[in-house]
Amino acid sequence: MSVGIEEIAFYTPALSLDMVALAKARDEEPDKYTIGIGQTTQSVVPNYEDVVTMGVNAAKNFIDRVDRESIDMLLFATESGVDNSKSGAIFAKNFLGLKDGIRAIELKQACYAGTFALMQAKDFVTLHPDKKVLVIASDIARYGLKTPGEVTQGAGAVAMLVSTEPKLAVINDDTVYMVKDEPDFWRPIDSDIALVDGHQSTDVYKDMFLELWGRYKQESGLSLNDFAGWAFHMPYTKMAKKALDQILPEASEEGQALLKERLAASQYYNRHVGNLYTGSLYLSLLSLLDQSTGLVAGDRLGLFSFGSGAEAELFSLTLQEGFEKVLSKQATEAMLAARKPLSMSEYEAVFLDQRFDSKNTQKTDAPAGTGRCQFTGWQDQYRQYRIAK
Ligand code: CAA
């Protein structure tokens, strides 16, 4: 019996910011942002989106194709949760019309929790082969105006259905993981922006990748030539290149050229969306699948997951016959192209005009008739939503 990903879908908010405009406004060389860091545009979050709306809007892309009765668990991974007590999974369970006889929980460990959720889903389905698990990884990367991290902001959600019908890919039994206590990135309870030592974080990421790759090779007996491509956690696209460059010489000349080409494919969506923390690796996977040429059933893809603080995991997927039918490249590209580009002053106004304060009863700017799930404001300090139709 094989367990893996049956469905996958992505959602990002409908506003964007051009990184050349940001660089100019911050007195930086545009090439630093677009080449040195490797970001072209970033999604910007209006005050009527949050991790719940984005997660629901991602899962909405496939949920009506699935027998909801078969979904026995909802794992909601985020480090930008909307409440310190109530799980975003419960809002999402309701808005997606899932049954009451379900387990639903929110998981947090920086950008790593989506992978923990995926692995828990795999283990659960292995024990209960007639059941399915919905995994949602949803986040808002928010570092603040005029901070070094500003160029690496972004937002979005990836939803995945895990089952014994892995139409996209099987999750192989080869995972290796590790934890090290590192002060590289955190967000105090009273702060709506992340605090980060970006250079230290990059070093921890590279070191953990190298250590896990060494263990992976030893335990699996595989080598770099066994991989058709890689997807990475990608706070900024250059970071993935830094990781892969460390091991690239282990591949044949032909293999190196192919892995570089596929790295560019795996960076494409992330370059245009920015960081979505726990969903970032799975956006990179979608990007690799949508933007590569020549991937075939049976190909093994490497995945490197990283969450500051720090926890990392390295594992592989094997593509299944007909995997391309699960993908919706045109819809994803159309969603990115349809985002409204903001001027710098519009972006700064949207960034500051959020509704974090529950104490004032206030509405958001949610436009009517979009068909999307939206956060509409606060009532008696309780979040109000418009459910997607
Ligand atoms: N043309 C081309 N390249 C240029 C350039 C130019 N004109 N000017 C500079 N560059 C290059 C630099 O050489 C450098 O390249 P290398 O890294 O290859 O050496 C690159 O541009 C960046 O330059 P700096 O290091 O000087 O930039 P910076 O000090 O502004 O920091 C950053 C960049 C570390 C990414 C910063 O934006 C940051 O801190 N971002 C947020 C944190 C982040 O994303 N951390 C990563 C992991 S954290 C995470 O993922 C979160 C989680 O788990 C929750």
Side-chain angles (χ1 to χ4, degrees), residues 3 16 32 63 71 73 79 92 101 143 155 184 205 212 262 294 331 335 360:
V3 176
S16 71
K32 173 178 170 183
I63 201 74
I71 300 177
M73 197 186 284
E79 58 180 298
Y143 291 96
D184 61 325
Y205 176 99
L212 287 181
R262 298 248 161 98
M335 178 173 59
N360 300 324

Side-chain angles (χ1 to χ4, degrees), residues 53-64:
T53 65
M54 294 190 298
V56 168
N57 290 330
K60 266 283 182 188
N61 287 306
F62 60 71
I63 201 74
D64 290 336

